[in-house]
Amino acid sequence: MTPPAAAAAAIRTDEPTTDPAAASAATADSQAPAPTGLPGNGDDDPDERTAADSAAPGRSHSATSPTGADFTRPRGMFSSLRVRNYRYYFAGQVVSNTGTWMQRIAQDWLVLSLTGSPLAVGITTAMQFLPMLLLGLFGGVLADRMPKRRLLIYTQGAMGLLAAGLAVMTIGGVVTPYHVYAFALLLGLVTVVDNPTRQAFVSEMVGPKDLANAVSLNAANFQTARLVGPAVAGLLIAAVGSGWAFAVNALSFAAVIGGLLAMRESELRPTEPIAREKGQLREGLRYVKERPELLWPMVLAGFIGTFGFNFPTLLSGFAHDTFKVGAGQYGLLNTAMAVGSLAGALLAARRGAPRLRGLVAAALGFGALEVVAAFAPDYWTFAALLTLIGVFGLSFNTSVNSMLQLATDPEMRGRVMGLLVLVFTGGTPIGAPIVGWVTASYGPRLGLLACGLVSALAAGAVGLVLARSADLKVRFDLHPGRGGRVVAVVPRTRTTSKSQLAAAC
C-alpha cells in the first residue's frame, strides 16, 4: 500500500521519536543480528531484517515507525530488488504480465473475428470489470482473512486454468462469443480477490522503507509488458491463431507461482490474518471515512480512474475520426502512452514515500495535460502529449498506492486496497459509457476535454479540502535564501491540532 496517523509517519523524516515504547522497540531492533543471504551472491539488502529478527512473538509489523524515519528517503531506483523474495516475485511478474497483455489482445481479436462487432468487444471488457465494481470490497476482506502468499498461489493458479481452458476451446474450434464472455466473467471474479491481495502483499515482501520503490517497479514491470506483450501477441495470432496466445498466457502463471513457492517465509513480514466476523466490510469503510489522509486520496483516485483513464475509447476516436490514420499509427498512440507510463514509473521509483501535495500535483498535471491534448493541432503533437500524460498518470497511480499502504494498519490493508481497486478500476463500467457517449455525440476532442476538466477540477477541490482540513496555506517568498523555496505549503499558525494531516501534506 501502522498507526492511524501513518500519513504523517509516511512522510516525516526530520522529527525524533518521542514514544518510549517505540524507542525501546528501536533499541531492541538495533541489537538484533543482521540477516545473511546465500554466501557470495549479494543476497538481500543488508539493512533488511527477517521476520524472525524484526519482531518478537505477538508483536505485529507496522508499516512505519512512529515518525517514518528511514522509510521515506530515496534508496535508488531499484533498491527493492535487493530483497531476495521480491526479486523472485518481480521476475515472475515480468513473464506473467507479458502473458496477460497477450491474452488481452488475443481475446479482443477473437471476439471481433467471431462477431465482427466492436460492441461485443465492449461487452467482454464489461464482463471482466463488472465483478470488481460489485464485489471489490469483499475481495479486500478475503485478503485480510487469509495468508496473502497462499491466497495468491490459489488465485494465480485459477487464472492459469481459465487461460488454459479458453486456449483448449479456441484451438479446438468450438469457442463462441458466449464462451468468451463466461471466461471473462470468471476471470473478473478471481481478480476481485487477486488484485487487492497482490497490492497488500508487496509490504510483506519488502517492508515500509522500500514499499514506494517496489510499487513503482511493479508499475514499470507492467508497462514494460504492455510494450512487449501486444507485439508478441500480434505475431503469434498471425502465425498460429489466438488460441496459442491463451496457451502461452496459461504457462506464464507458472513463473509467478514458482516465485511464490521459492520465497523464504522467514524473510517475509506476514500480517496475522483476521478472524472471520460480521461487519468487517463496514469496518473497512468506516476506517477510511474517519481518516482524511486515506479518504481524500481515495476520492481523488475514484474521479481519476472513472473519468481520466478512458483511453481505449478516446484514442480510437482520435485515430479514426480526428487524425484519420490507420491501425499502425493508432498502435503508436498506445505505445507513446506506454513509454510515458514506463518513464513515470521509473521516475517514481527514485523518489521516497509520496506526500499528499505531490499526489494532488500529479493529478492536476494529468488533467491539465488532457485538456491541452484535446486541442492538439496534429497527430505528432498529440502523441508527444500522450507521453507526458502517461508520465503524470503513472506518477499519480504509484503515489496513491504506496501512500495508502503506508498510511494503513496492516490488519486493514487488504480492505483498504480492495476499496482503492474498486474506485480506481471498478469505475470503468460507469465512466466508459459516459465518455463513449460524449465522444460519439460531440467528437473525441470534447470527450478528452471533459475527462481532463473532471480530473483537474477533482484534484483542485481535493487539494483545497486537504489544505483547509490541515490548516495550511501557500507561502510565496521572492527572496527565499539558500535552501529556501519560492513557493511553499506551510501551517497557518505555529501550533495546530491537525499536525498529523499537515505533516502528510
Side-chain angles (χ1 to χ4, degrees):
M1 56 94 246
T2 313
I11 325 273
R12 296 305 295 264
T13 62
D14 55 349
E15 295 179 2
T17 301
T18 56
D19 183 359
S24 175
T27 301
D29 287 341
S30 67
Q31 296 172 352
T36 57
L38 297 177
N41 70 348
D43 218 18
D44 294 341
D45 181 351
D47 293 332
E48 293 293 333
R49 296 169 297 158
T50 64
D53 292 330
S54 62
R59 197 176 85 198
S60 63
H61 297 280
S62 63
T64 60
S65 72
T67 64
D70 300 326
F71 298 158
T72 63
R73 301 187 184 100
R75 287 156 44 85
M77 183 178 290
F78 303 102
S79 61
S80 53
L81 290 177
R82 299 170 185 165
V83 182
R84 177 184 182 274
N85 284 340
Y86 181 72
R87 285 201 303 274
Y88 280 132
Y89 177 83
F90 185 88
Q93 287 294 318
V94 169
V95 178
S96 181
N97 284 335
T98 302
T100 296
W101 276 105
M102 290 176 64
Q103 172 144 335
R104 287 188 182 187
I105 300 301
Q107 179 177 275
D108 290 348
W109 184 260
L110 175 62
V111 172
L112 193 61
S113 63
L114 289 172
T115 65
S117 170
L119 176 61
V121 178
I123 292 174
T124 306
T125 302
M127 295 295 283
Q128 191 164 325
F129 282 98
L130 191 60
M132 185 60 68
L133 177 63
L134 300 177
L135 304 171
L137 292 176
F138 293 98
V141 173
L142 287 176
D144 282 333
R145 285 179 179 174
M146 294 183 64
K148 295 177 181 59
R149 176 168 165 263
R150 185 194 309 167
L151 189 56
L152 282 176
I153 292 172
Y154 296 155
T155 57
Q156 293 290 303
M159 289 179 173
L161 290 174
L162 288 173
L166 188 56
V168 169
M169 296 190 71
T170 304
I171 295 171
V174 298
V175 70
T176 68
Y178 298 102
H179 291 137
V180 182
Y181 297 158
F183 274 101
L185 179 62
L186 291 172
L187 181 61
L189 289 171
V190 178
T191 304
V192 165
V193 180
D194 180 81
N195 208 315
T197 306
R198 277 192 294 110
Q199 304 285 356
F201 184 60
V202 176
S203 64
E204 295 191 3
M205 287 185 288
V206 301
K209 60 184 173 182
D210 278 322
L211 178 60
N213 178 264
V215 169
S216 299
L217 289 185
N218 283 348
N221 188 324
F222 187 76
Q223 296 304 323
T224 301
R226 182 181 178 183
L227 292 171
V228 176
V232 176
L235 294 174
L236 200 58
I237 292 169
V240 292
S242 298
W244 291 102
F246 301 142
V248 171
N249 183 43
L251 292 174
S252 74
F253 286 100
V256 181
I257 296 173
L260 291 168
L261 292 173
M263 290 181 179
R264 294 173 181 165
E265 285 195 63
S266 62
E267 295 175 9
L268 292 172
R269 298 163 174 78
T271 302
E272 188 69 24
I274 61 174
R276 181 172 182 173
E277 295 177 358
K278 290 183 178 181
Q280 289 175 332
L281 183 59
R282 291 192 301 272
E283 181 186 11
L285 293 173
R286 185 168 57 250
Y287 180 86
V288 172
K289 180 182 177 181
E290 293 174 352
R291 290 161 175 78
E293 68 273 17
L294 299 178
L295 174 63
W296 292 110
M298 198 79 75
V299 170
L300 184 54
F303 277 101
I304 299 293
T306 301
F307 297 102
F309 281 86
N310 276 287
F311 295 107
T313 301
L314 292 166
L315 295 189
S316 60
F318 270 94
H320 186 267
D321 300 325
T322 304
F323 300 122
K324 303 187 185 305
V325 296
Q329 288 167 298
Y330 166 65
L332 187 58
L333 293 179
N334 287 278
T335 300
M337 175 160 285
V339 169
S341 298
L342 176 59
L346 292 175
L347 289 172
R350 293 182 60 87
R351 298 194 296 264
R355 301 181 71 160
L356 286 171
R357 70 183 70 173
L359 186 72
V360 171
L364 188 61
F366 174 79
L369 283 167
E370 286 192 328
V371 171
V372 173
F375 298 99
D378 56 63
Y379 172 86
W380 293 109
T381 302
F382 184 71
L385 287 169
L386 282 180
T387 303
L388 293 176
I389 289 172
V391 172
F392 279 84
L394 233 293
S395 179
F396 172 81
N397 196 345
T398 57
S399 294
V400 73
N401 189 309
S402 54
M403 175 173 286
L404 291 179
Q405 290 207 52
L406 284 168
T408 302
D409 291 309
E411 66 272 13
M412 300 294 298
R413 194 169 285 135
R415 278 165 284 183
V416 171
M417 299 314 296
L419 182 58
L420 175 63
V421 173
L422 168 65
V423 300
F424 195 78
T425 305
T428 300
I430 298 174
I434 296 174
V435 174
W437 174 79
V438 173
T439 301
S441 302
Y442 303 101
R445 289 191 184 275
L446 192 58
L448 183 58
L449 176 63
C451 290
L453 287 175
V454 170
S455 299
L457 289 174
V462 169
L464 289 175
V465 169
L466 288 170
R468 187 176 183 85
S469 299
D471 198 24
L472 298 174
K473 66 178 181 179
V474 178
R475 183 186 67 192
F476 295 92
D477 187 355
L478 298 179
H479 305 284
R482 185 174 182 180
R485 295 181 178 180
V486 175
V487 181
V489 180
V490 297
R492 291 183 180 276
T493 58
R494 291 185 177 275
T495 59
T496 173
S497 59
K498 304 169 183 178
S499 58
Q500 294 174 354
L501 184 57
C505 291

